[in-house]
Amino acid sequence: MTVQSDDMDRVWPVEATRARANVVNEPARAAEAAVPLLNIANILTVLRIAIVPLFLLTLFAAGGHAPAWRIGATVLFGVAAVTDRIDGQLARKYGLVTDFGKLADPIADKALIGSALIGLSALGDLSWWLTIAICAREIGITLLRLAVVRRGVIPAGRGGKLKTLVQSLAIGVLLLPLSGAWATAGLVLMLVAVVLTVVTGLDYIVQAIRLWSAPVVRPRS
């Protein structure tokens, strides 16, 4: 059944306002659809995914604790993490935002972060419960994004970006062949990252529920 505009105003005033905004934003959506899929921002995102297996090979080389290989793994992780910052800035600055980028960017982040966490836990440098807590949230949110993709894309918010930044800093410290206060600092950062991971995960769930429950409104012709 098609919900008319007047009925929406009476029954769902907030949704009615949102529906009108959607109609106004149609030109912007059309412009976004015209952005080529093969652009520098998406290429950097795919590159980040491609670095993951190379990072793992370097991390586990020579038993996983050789200082030179650990430094090499840290450099690869750092390069991949920096591309996350760059591709987002390029996409926004030059109007290269695409639905592929909105989905692939967080997936690339999760692949990089997840592989690093699992690798550190497998080497005995990080407790498994921390890795499981973060990876379970990341997998769950990814599946949630895919479940509601037909109704809309949930982009990464500031909280999600902060969470990824803290996770990356913690992993970077733990990857380096350090001990003592540095290793403790890495664990403290990781605990902060877990808290942010849980909080932002709840926020994504709320957004997904709102997106899924919002009625489909067809504008009058």
Side-chain angles (χ1 to χ4, degrees):
M1 179 180 67
T2 302
V3 181
Q4 297 298 328
S5 176
D6 294 338
D7 295 333
M8 277 292 300
D9 290 342
R10 290 193 297 269
V11 181
W12 296 300
V14 175
E15 285 73 6
T17 302
R18 186 187 307 168
R20 295 193 186 94
N22 289 337
V23 174
V24 173
N25 289 332
E26 283 302 322
R29 293 181 179 179
E32 180 177 316
V35 176
L37 184 63
L38 188 63
N39 60 64
I40 184 61
N42 288 345
I43 290 173
L44 288 175
T45 297
V46 173
L47 176 63
R48 187 157 72 255
I49 296 175
I51 289 177
V52 171
L54 182 59
F55 160 73
L56 287 174
L57 288 174
T58 307
L59 177 61
F60 285 97
H65 290 97
W69 285 106
R70 289 296 287 262
I71 292 174
T74 305
V75 171
L76 285 173
F77 181 85
V79 169
V82 167
T83 63
D84 175 43
R85 180 74 174 178
I86 295 176
D87 63 16
Q89 289 180 338
L90 290 175
R92 290 186 294 271
K93 183 175 181 180
Y94 296 104
L96 300 176
V97 177
T98 62
D99 281 345
F100 171 82
K102 290 178 183 178
L103 287 173
D105 182 68
I107 289 175
D109 294 339
K110 290 168 177 53
L112 178 66
I113 296 294
S115 63
L117 292 172
I118 292 173
L120 287 169
S121 292
L123 292 172
D125 296 329
L126 182 66
S127 298
W128 274 107
W129 77 266
L130 291 169
T131 294
I132 292 173
I134 293 177
C135 288
R137 181 272 191 194
E138 303 294 5
I139 293 173
I141 294 302
T142 299
L143 294 176
L144 187 62
R145 284 174 181 270
L146 295 175
V148 301
V149 69
R150 290 185 177 273
R151 293 192 172 243
V153 176
I154 304 176
R158 292 183 179 179
K161 290 296 184 181
L162 176 61
K163 176 265 305 178
T164 301
L165 174 62
V166 177
Q167 287 178 350
S168 298
L169 288 174
I171 290 171
V173 174
L174 293 174
L175 283 172
L176 288 170
L178 303 172
S179 58
W182 281 105
T184 301
L187 291 175
V188 171
L189 279 173
M190 189 59 71
L191 289 173
V192 174
V194 170
V195 174
L196 290 173
T197 298
V198 173
V199 172
T200 55
L202 293 175
D203 179 60
Y204 278 121
I205 291 174
V206 171
Q207 290 188 59
I209 292 174
R210 288 175 178 172
L211 189 61
W212 186 263
S213 60
V216 179
V217 180
R218 298 178 184 176
R220 286 180 176 179
S221 57

